[in-house]
Amino acid sequence: MTKPLRLGILGAANIARAFATGVASAKDVKVVAIASRDAAKSAAFAREFGIDHHFASYQAMLASPEVDAAYVPLPNTMHAEWGIQAAAAGKHVICEKPLAMSAQEAEAMFAAAERHGVVLREAYPYLAQPQTIQTRRLIADGAIGRIQIIRASFGLAFSDKSNIRLNPKLGGGSLLDAGSYPVSLCRILAGSLPKRVQAVARWTENALDRTLVATIDFGDGVLAQISCSLATAFHRHALIIGDDGIIETDFTNHAWAGSHPAIKLRRGLGFRTPYEILNCPGGDGFRLEAEEFAGLAMGNSTSWSGASPQESIDMARVLDAISTSSHADGLWVNL
């Protein structure tokens, strides 16, 4: 039997807990280690989740021969540093979105992974969901013709000022948190790097982009609009408009037992054409992406529904450009 990929988690924050819960039922991958700079916190985490090894420093976990790969759910400003250190230690890396704080950091991370012969991928659970896989298949098969317009949004509310999403010094803000999802969807569906972007934002008193709207021009006929917020009611929706139909999806991260994510598909040009409702299976997105990542890392599979290295670098470039435009009151920024 193939041994499971032995995965260690860097950091014991809430997202690490959600990841450990989701991956507990995964095939071919097992969380075997947790590291925190607080020894008591890592020990408690290990007890709660039945994890074999716990460490009081990230370096100690990366030095362990019992760990094959590292999951990096640290604050955004720490992704590049610890992704590169994990690669240098010979560990495969699956890193939370956004991969890095800049395209330059993203390129350095992939260069480190290639130099040390390990697999690095950016974690977007929604890309591993059957709902998104089916959406991409429908588009590839011409169900809505050629894409003309994409509108994608994701917003939710946070009020606890201690939340790292509201701390600009740790890479917080609506664009890098919620906004990375619609940006990634637009880049992947359009299939190319945009030509230019324009964005405006609403800022907090500590210079955090609380809400942001951007226009993305792919230069080949595809135009996209994204919005993101940390100050609205929860919403997550994408409208993909082709020259011969439309698709609506919530491009969800997770679809637990009993839920049935759906795709709304309307084929053809007529406004009276009824929608087809395509119900999709689903599951915990952390489990789905971890299983695919394990196959890549262990050389058992080439299947990966997530972002390719080039797509991740392109998405970092788009985020850079949107940020620049939003700080310049909507100036068009070329990529």
Side-chain angles (χ1 to χ4, degrees):
M1 294 180 63
T2 303
K3 292 183 179 180
L5 180 74
R6 300 173 300 173
L7 194 64
I9 301 176
L10 293 177
N14 287 337
I15 190 169
R17 301 174 67 82
F19 182 84
T21 300
V23 175
S25 60
K27 296 180 293 185
D28 301 325
V29 56
K30 181 180 180 183
V31 176
V32 300
I34 177 69
S36 171
R37 290 173 292 189
D38 182 330
K41 193 171 185 179
S42 63
F45 193 108
R47 285 193 301 271
E48 179 179 354
F49 290 96
I51 295 172
D52 297 335
H53 309 285
H54 55 89
F55 299 91
S57 74
Y58 304 148
Q59 295 93 333
M61 192 195 85
L62 295 179
S64 172
E66 302 300 319
V67 175
D68 302 316
Y71 169 61
V72 183
L74 298 167
N76 296 337
T77 50
M78 301 171 71
H79 287 183
E81 175 187 359
W82 289 103
I84 290 170
Q85 288 207 35
K91 311 302 183 188
H92 304 291
V93 182
I94 181 167
C95 181
E96 265 304 319
K97 60 78 203 165
L99 183 68
M101 290 294 294
S102 68
Q104 184 177 13
E105 284 188 353
E107 289 170 342
M109 292 172 75
F110 282 112
E114 183 175 359
R115 186 164 60 250
H116 296 287
V118 298
V119 174
L120 165 66
R121 290 293 185 272
E122 185 175 15
Y124 277 103
Y126 84 92
L127 289 171
Q129 284 289 345
Q131 181 192 43
T132 305
I133 294 170
Q134 177 70 355
T135 296
R136 296 175 69 178
R137 185 178 298 119
L138 287 166
I139 292 169
D141 290 344
I144 62 170
R146 182 178 173 83
I147 294 176
Q148 300 296 306
I149 298 171
I150 304 170
R151 288 169 32 197
S153 59
F154 183 22
L156 64 173
F158 291 101
S159 58
D160 182 358
K161 293 184 178 180
S162 67
N163 193 303
I164 62 171
R165 294 174 179 85
L166 302 181
N167 187 340
K169 294 181 180 179
L170 294 177
S174 65
L175 177 62
L176 291 183
D177 187 70
S180 61
Y181 288 102
V183 165
S184 66
L185 182 70
C186 291
R187 163 59 186 88
I188 287 170
L189 294 183
S192 64
L193 181 70
K195 300 300 182 183
R196 58 178 186 160
V197 304
Q198 181 188 49
V200 293
R202 295 292 178 259
W203 305 92
T204 66
E205 58 190 16
N206 63 337
L208 183 92
D209 57 307
R210 195 175 183 192
T211 300
L212 180 144
V213 177
T215 300
I216 306 173
D217 179 2
F218 285 91
D220 61 354
V222 180
L223 291 170
Q225 292 179 314
I226 69 103
S227 65
C228 52
S229 182
L230 300 180
T232 65
F234 178 86
H235 62 284
R236 184 167 176 148
H237 181 258
L239 176 64
I240 306 153
I241 307 170
D243 56 15
D244 195 31
I246 64 173
I247 286 174
E248 293 184 54
T249 172
D250 60 5
F251 61 111
T252 185
N253 273 343
H254 306 290
W256 292 281
S259 64
H260 300 284
I263 298 167
K264 289 180 66 177
L265 168 64
R266 194 176 75 194
R267 304 176 192 262
L269 300 176
F271 70 91
R272 294 181 183 275
T273 304
Y275 281 99
E276 300 173 41
I277 306 299
L278 308 177
N279 290 314
C280 303
D284 187 288
F286 291 130
R287 174 182 63 80
L288 294 170
E289 71 179 2
E291 289 176 343
E292 286 199 18
F293 178 74
L296 280 183
M298 299 183 73
N300 299 327
S301 171
T302 58
S303 177
W304 176 246
S305 302
S308 69
Q310 187 59 58
E311 286 170 337
S312 287
I313 291 170
D314 284 356
M315 291 176 322
R317 290 175 179 163
V318 177
L319 291 170
D320 284 351
I322 290 174
S323 178
T324 297
S325 178
S326 68
H327 282 89
D329 291 328
L331 179 73
W332 279 103
V333 175
N334 295 324
L335 284 89

